[in-house]
Amino acid sequence: MVKAKSLYHLILYSIFFIVLLTSSFTFIIIDNAFDEFQEKIEIIKNDYTNKQKDLIEADIKKTLNYIKYYHDKFKNIKSEETIKKDILESLEIMRKHGNLNHYVFIYDFNGTSLYYPVSKDYIGKNLYEFKDPSGKKVIQELIEISKNKNGGFVQYIWYKPEIRSDALKISYALSYKPWNWTVGRGIYLDEIDKIVKEKKNEYDEKISNYVLQIMSLTIMLVLYSIFIYKNATILIVNDVKEIGKYLKESQKDDNRIKQDRLIFGEFKVIANFAYDAMHNIKDKNIMLQELNKHLEDTVNHQTKELKNLIDSQKKFLKNSVHEINTPLSIIRTNIDLLKMHSQDNKYVSNIESGAKIIQYIYDDLSYLIKKDRVDYPKEYIDFSEFLKERLNFFDGIANSNDLMFTTNIDEDIYIKFNRLELQRIVDNNISNAIKYSFAKSNIYVRLTYFNDEYVEFSVKTHSEKIEDINKIFNDFYRENNSRGGFGLGLRIVKEICDKNLVIIKLESTDNETKFTYRFKINENTAS
């Protein structure tokens, strides 16, 4: 270890150390930034490619769904050739004409081009043996991979109209086997080069700023060290000597050091610190007592304001629920009238689904407001028919989310329960099942006798695992904030079940969640 024998040597060592440390930091920062840049580039490339692949795959599957839907709808009404012609015309109408790079193409299994909107000269030509500049038989590979159950991706070189040159491209193809069609769409990958170039410019600018900042700091530190050496060394040494003398003198008397003996205020503070410490402690105790009293008054005031705020929120919620009821009834009535004049209208169905969701939320809020003020008498309910009615209510919402109910409901199951509270249990579980199920999956609803005293109602979904089962029934708790909602539904369900001695069982794995409720058939306990 280097030992400085004087302030002069200490300052010289400090300047040398600053330069060395700055150089090391500069090298480390630039090296780390370069490694970080390389990692980000790989991540950007992968993310961009995967995102584009997901987009074109989803687009082709929607196109295949449309072809199948149109074919099934008119196969007994129109000829096959007419249906094919209608579909190709529809695809042309739906195509984004402003973008020459994004389009759907169709070939039959023999390699004949049936639909290629950017160059209609290809239509009718057989391109089965066509090769790209690398020698790959593009059309042949697209046709073969499209015959797989889930289709697949092919990467090749293709002409890009925007730049009027060949570019790397990847396409997803899926077959419509009733007609031996290969339907595909591709995206060019040269866009990623632009992104990489932009990131490279950002990286260069970032490194330049790092170097400039470090060099500026180094110069300032060196200049400051020289200033200290030239202007403060002698003064510091003198003050240190005076403090040493005072410490010796303080052994004989209890007086403060005379302020004019020292130059720097910092040394004056050091010299008087011992004397002032006891006085400061006493002053601090007085200040703490006053502060505690002030804090107590503040807490009481804030508590009062918080109570007023909560009361205002309850009043606002009550008024909001009351005001929603009338327009919601008008919306539902007009939807029924629209359905009488325009059946199978998807827009009306979507509006109806949205209105039902609002109705379900309204029912939750209405119950939440009234639950402590209203008595909920029990009656014998045909649980089987009641559950079927609620499933019918949510059926349109499930269909709009590409979900399907699979039911196992025993007939003539009766329980003694309040109808409104039973609806809150059933509706919240079905609504959550629709909200959190994976796309295009089944929702399994089951109602059976457990034994002579109990019946079981369960809802099982294919969904993400519930990580914290202990918190799922808490107020305002939501594991997935992106799904929306208030986080009150399961809390309401838990209160109703506790009040009526309903047993709740929750099971959740990586891809499956099941809520089970066990009702006593003749339960007459109200609390």
Side-chain angles (χ1 to χ4, degrees):
M1 180 177 180
V2 178
K3 294 183 179 180
K5 297 181 179 180
S6 65
L7 288 175
Y8 170 77
H9 292 99
L10 179 61
I11 292 172
L12 289 180
Y13 295 156
S14 300
I15 294 173
F16 175 76
F17 178 74
I18 289 170
V19 174
L20 180 62
L21 189 64
T22 304
S23 302
S24 300
F25 279 170
T26 304
F27 175 78
I28 292 171
I29 291 173
I30 293 175
D31 185 63
N32 290 341
F34 179 79
D35 292 340
E36 181 183 354
F37 172 74
Q38 295 300 322
E39 292 176 1
K40 285 185 177 179
I41 291 302
E42 290 301 319
I43 293 173
I44 290 170
K45 288 181 179 179
N46 293 333
D47 288 350
Y48 177 83
T49 303
N50 292 334
K51 182 178 180 181
Q52 295 301 315
K53 287 170 70 174
D54 290 342
L55 288 174
I56 62 175
E57 181 178 353
D59 191 22
I60 291 304
K61 287 182 177 179
K62 288 180 181 178
T63 302
L64 264 293
N65 288 338
Y66 168 74
I67 294 174
K68 183 178 183 303
Y69 165 78
Y70 196 89
H71 185 199
D72 292 343
K73 182 176 181 179
F74 292 102
K75 63 183 178 182
N76 297 324
I77 301 174
K78 300 180 181 181
S79 67
E80 292 284 305
E81 293 303 320
T82 302
I83 294 174
K84 291 178 181 179
K85 181 179 178 183
D86 291 346
I87 288 174
L88 295 179
E89 290 177 352
S90 298
L91 292 178
E92 180 64 21
I93 293 172
M94 291 185 291
R95 183 172 71 88
K96 296 180 180 179
H97 294 274
N99 196 330
L100 297 177
N101 299 323
H102 296 169
Y103 54 86
V104 174
F105 56 80
I106 300 175
Y107 296 89
D108 63 20
F109 284 179
N110 294 324
T112 301
S113 176
L114 303 178
Y115 180 71
Y116 190 72
V118 296
S119 181
K120 296 184 179 180
D121 295 337
Y122 282 118
I123 297 177
K125 292 183 179 180
N126 190 293
L127 303 174
Y128 193 78
E129 298 296 329
F130 176 81
K131 297 181 181 179
D132 71 355
S134 69
K136 179 178 289 189
K137 293 184 178 181
V138 178
I139 308 304
Q140 184 178 2
E141 290 194 18
L142 287 169
I143 292 172
E144 292 303 319
I145 204 166
S146 73
K147 295 177 182 178
N148 296 337
K149 180 180 179 181
N150 295 317
F153 292 90
V154 176
Q155 185 169 305
Y156 53 92
I157 298 173
W158 198 259
Y159 181 79
K160 185 175 182 181
E162 184 179 0
I163 63 175
R164 297 181 180 180
S165 179
D166 291 335
L168 190 63
K169 186 175 186 180
I170 188 168
S171 292
Y172 173 80
L174 187 62
S175 64
Y176 185 63
K177 293 183 179 178
W179 289 345
N180 291 338
W181 277 14
T182 292
V183 182
R185 180 190 159 188
I187 51 100
Y188 291 97
L189 300 178
D190 60 333
E191 292 294 329
I192 197 170
D193 294 334
K194 298 179 181 178
I195 299 175
V196 172
K197 186 176 180 180
E198 292 176 0
K199 294 298 179 181
K200 179 66 166 56
N201 292 335
E202 293 177 5
Y203 166 77
D204 291 340
E205 183 178 354
K206 183 178 181 181
I207 293 299
S208 299
N209 290 335
Y210 280 160
V211 173
L212 180 61
Q213 292 171 7
I214 293 171
M215 293 303 296
S216 299
L217 179 61
T218 302
I219 294 172
M220 290 176 62
L221 290 174
V222 171
L223 292 176
Y224 178 73
S225 299
I226 295 172
F227 170 80
I228 292 296
Y229 169 68
K230 292 291 185 182
N231 298 281
T233 302
I234 297 174
L235 299 176
I236 292 173
V237 171
N238 290 334
D239 272 5
V240 170
K241 290 179 179 179
E242 286 298 322
I243 290 175
K245 292 179 181 179
Y246 167 70
L247 292 175
K248 291 180 180 180
E249 294 169 359
S250 64
Q251 297 176 5
K252 298 178 181 181
D253 55 54
D254 192 29
N255 297 325
R256 289 180 182 271
I257 188 172
K258 293 181 179 180
Q259 300 297 307
D260 57 1
R261 292 176 60 180
L262 301 176
I263 297 175
F264 293 103
E266 290 80 0
F267 290 113
K268 295 177 182 179
V269 173
I270 293 173
N272 291 304
F273 180 78
Y275 182 85
D276 293 336
M278 296 301 297
H279 297 282
N280 287 338
I281 291 174
K282 182 179 178 180
D283 294 340
K284 294 296 182 183
N285 285 334
I286 297 173
M287 292 176 60
L288 283 175
Q289 292 176 0
E290 295 177 352
L291 180 61
N292 285 337
K293 185 178 183 305
H294 175 71
L295 286 175
E296 184 178 353
D297 295 340
T298 302
V299 169
N300 291 334
H301 177 70
Q302 294 296 330
T303 302
K304 183 178 179 181
E305 288 189 352
L306 182 60
K307 183 178 181 302
N308 294 335
L309 178 61
I310 293 174
D311 292 340
S312 299
Q313 289 177 337
K314 289 182 179 179
K315 183 177 179 181
F316 171 76
L317 187 59
K318 179 179 178 182
N319 293 337
S320 299
V321 170
H322 177 72
E323 294 298 330
I324 290 173
N325 188 30
T326 301
L328 183 59
S329 300
I330 295 173
I331 292 172
R332 295 294 301 275
T333 301
N334 282 271
I335 289 173
D336 292 337
L337 293 173
L338 282 172
K339 290 174 67 177
M340 293 173 59
H341 296 285
S342 179
Q343 297 183 356
D344 298 329
N345 187 309
K346 68 176 182 178
Y347 300 108
V348 175
S349 299
N350 290 338
I351 296 172
E352 184 180 23
S353 296
K356 286 181 177 180
I357 294 173
I358 298 174
Q359 179 69 55
Y360 151 73
I361 297 173
Y362 168 81
D363 291 341
D364 260 357
L365 295 176
S366 178
Y367 176 82
L368 193 63
I369 294 171
K370 298 177 182 178
K371 66 183 178 69
D372 297 326
R373 298 184 289 105
V374 177
D375 186 30
Y376 293 96
K378 297 184 179 183
E379 60 181 293
Y380 279 104
I381 302 173
D382 186 344
F383 200 168
S384 304
E385 290 301 319
F386 181 86
L387 181 56
K388 292 176 183 178
E389 290 176 3
R390 300 317 299 163
L391 288 172
N392 184 58
F393 176 85
F394 284 97
D395 188 59
I397 303 174
N399 289 336
S400 66
N401 286 271
D402 292 331
L403 301 172
M404 181 181 296
F405 291 120
T406 299
T407 61
N408 179 11
I409 302 175
D410 290 353
E411 298 294 334
D412 300 324
I413 293 182
Y414 285 82
I415 62 172
K416 192 171 184 180
F417 215 84
N418 177 265
R419 182 175 293 272
L420 181 60
E421 292 184 330
L422 182 60
Q423 181 176 331
R424 301 278 34 85
I425 294 175
V426 172
D427 284 10
N428 272 291
N429 278 274
I430 296 175
S431 174
N432 284 340
I434 294 173
K435 188 182 298 182
Y436 293 103
S437 288
F438 295 140
K440 300 182 180 179
S441 65
N442 288 350
I443 299 173
Y444 300 92
V445 181
R446 186 170 181 265
L447 177 64
T448 59
Y449 283 101
F450 179 72
N451 54 31
D452 292 339
E453 296 184 359
Y454 290 93
V455 298
E456 275 194 350
F457 161 62
S458 65
V459 179
K460 184 173 71 172
T461 59
H462 294 295
S463 55
E464 295 180 357
K465 182 179 180 180
I466 297 175
E467 296 296 339
D468 200 334
I469 293 178
N470 296 325
K471 292 184 178 179
I472 197 68
F473 291 98
N474 291 351
D475 284 338
F476 307 110
Y477 180 78
R478 292 177 294 159
E479 287 213 345
N480 189 337
N481 292 326
S482 65
R483 299 287 183 142
F486 299 102
L488 292 173
L490 287 178
R491 178 58 182 170
I492 294 173
V493 170
K494 183 70 164 55
E495 287 185 358
I496 295 173
C497 290
D498 290 346
K499 183 178 75 172
N500 293 279
L501 304 182
V502 178
I503 300 171
I504 304 175
K505 182 179 180 183
L506 171 56
E507 304 166 271
S508 186
T509 62
D510 290 338
N511 60 0
E512 186 175 285
T513 296
K514 182 179 180 181
F515 285 83
T516 302
Y517 300 87
R518 191 174 297 168
F519 296 81
K520 197 167 184 178
I521 296 174
N522 292 305
E523 177 59 56
N524 197 30
T525 303
S527 64

